[in-house]
Structures are given as C-alpha cells and as structure tokens.
Amino acid sequence: MKSTIFALIVSSAAAFAPSALPKVTTSLSAFEAELGVQPPLGFYDPLGLLDDADQERFDRLRYVELKHGRISQLAFLGNIINRAGVRLPGNIDYEGTTFESIPNGWAAVGAIPTAGIAQLVLLVGFLELAVMKDVTGEAEFPGDFRNGLLDYGWDNFDEEEKLFKRGVELNNGRAAMFGILGLMVHEQLGGSLPIVGEM
C-alpha cells in the first residue's frame, strides 16, 4: 500500500517537471515586412492565402482588404447613425414611403422598394467599374484612387507619416469589418447594446 501511494506521488510530481520542447523552425514569408504586419499577431495568414504568392497576388488581396474595410466603415457608421434616429428628409419613392418609415439593419433591405434596390446596385456597379480604380496609373499603393485629382495634403506628408496614415486606415477597416459583423449578429440575436440601443 505504501509503495502504491509513493508511486502515485512520484508520478503526479512528474507532471510539473519541465519537458523538452521540440525545436520548431519556420520559414519567414516574403510579406513579413509589409504594412499591417504588427504585434501581437505579426504576419497572420491562417488560411494560407499567401503561400507561394507573388507581390501581384499580395497587392490584389491588400486592395480587396482595403475596399472591404472602407465599405465596412461606411456600413458601421451608417448603422449607428440610423439607429440614432438621423434620417434623410422626404420620401424614398413616389408612393410616399418616407425615409423615416424604413427600419434599421437587415429589415431595411426588405422595406426599400425594388426600384430603389436596383438603383443602389447600379450605383455600386458604376462606382466599382468606372470610379473606384486607378484610372491614371499614378497610384502609390493598392487602393490609391486619387487619380491625380484628390490630394487633401497627401503629397505634403513625408514617407513615415504616409505609412502611419495608411496603417491607421488599414486597422480602422479591420476593426470596422468586425464591428459591422458584430452588429449584424447582435441584430439577429436581438436584445439591446450600449450606445446602439435596441436591436
């Protein structure tokens, strides 16, 4: 009996002994120094979208990330503003449907008249195909759509400040993607959220 207890004590103590960890080697990605690679995650590509990718593929994915981030920022802000009660004045159609009568969130998609949805799809298609792209070939980075027209002082910034501002936009877009996703999920779950209110 004593030897059994002693064996149990020794075996349980072995659980707290340090074990030798196998040495793991990783190959660094060619994109580890790109804008947006930052602590705590560093270079984060869990789906392996950039495995064996070239710079052109990376630039395409960065462009898509920026575009979705910009759309998500608009969506999140629009959702919050509508839930705060700020609406356009007037009617959305000739039948007298007011902007005030359109509900918040996903319910708005079913409440907007079919002609209004068609107009939105056509506008977004036009913007995607004709406006939101580098027409002149003067883009400094993926997602630069100034096309020699809009500046807002960008050319007065030094390279370090430009990188900082691009990083801020990238991070705000990433946060907005999670933010609008969270609002959509909470809308389906129902309840109330601070600031946002009743879902």
Side-chain angles (χ1 to χ4, degrees):
M1 179 73 169
K2 289 181 183 179
S3 61
T4 306
I5 293 174
F6 179 73
L8 284 173
I9 291 172
V10 170
S11 65
S12 65
F16 298 104
S19 61
L21 296 175
K23 209 169 210 179
V24 178
T25 59
T26 60
S27 61
L28 293 178
S29 170
F31 307 109
E32 293 253 341
E34 289 287 340
L35 178 71
V37 176
Q38 56 200 26
L41 296 178
F43 179 73
Y44 187 66
D45 183 24
L47 298 178
L49 296 175
L50 292 173
D51 293 347
D52 302 322
D54 58 0
Q55 187 66 42
E56 183 180 348
R57 169 94 171 131
F58 177 83
D59 288 345
R60 171 70 182 148
L61 291 174
R62 175 53 50 92
Y63 162 75
V64 170
E65 180 183 15
L66 279 168
K67 179 171 69 170
H68 285 99
R70 290 169 180 169
I71 292 168
S72 295
Q73 289 176 61
L74 290 171
F76 185 84
L77 185 62
N79 199 312
I80 297 296
I81 287 174
N82 280 340
R83 290 185 185 282
V86 178
R87 303 294 175 103
L88 293 172
N91 298 333
I92 195 169
D93 61 11
Y94 291 121
E95 282 80 41
T97 307
T98 63
F99 285 104
E100 280 288 326
S101 67
I102 303 294
N104 295 322
W106 277 113
V109 176
I112 297 175
T114 307
I117 295 288
Q119 290 173 19
L120 286 173
V121 169
L122 288 173
L123 174 65
V124 169
F126 171 74
L127 290 173
E128 183 72 22
L129 296 174
V131 178
M132 296 301 191
K133 62 182 185 176
D134 180 23
V135 178
T136 62
E138 300 174 7
E140 289 183 33
F141 53 89
D144 180 8
F145 302 138
R146 292 177 294 146
N147 292 316
L149 298 175
L150 302 173
D151 185 6
Y152 299 119
W154 181 258
D155 292 331
N156 297 330
F157 299 138
D158 60 10
E159 289 305 312
E160 185 177 334
E161 193 166 3
K162 285 181 180 181
L163 277 175
F164 173 76
K165 290 186 179 293
R166 288 179 53 207
V168 167
E169 179 188 21
L170 193 59
N171 287 329
N172 286 344
R174 290 170 176 172
M177 285 186 262
F178 280 109
I180 193 62
L181 178 65
L183 284 176
M184 291 188 303
V185 167
H186 280 287
E187 181 181 358
Q188 296 305 311
L189 294 175
S192 180
L193 290 174
I195 300 174
V196 178
E198 203 62 37
M199 296 301 282

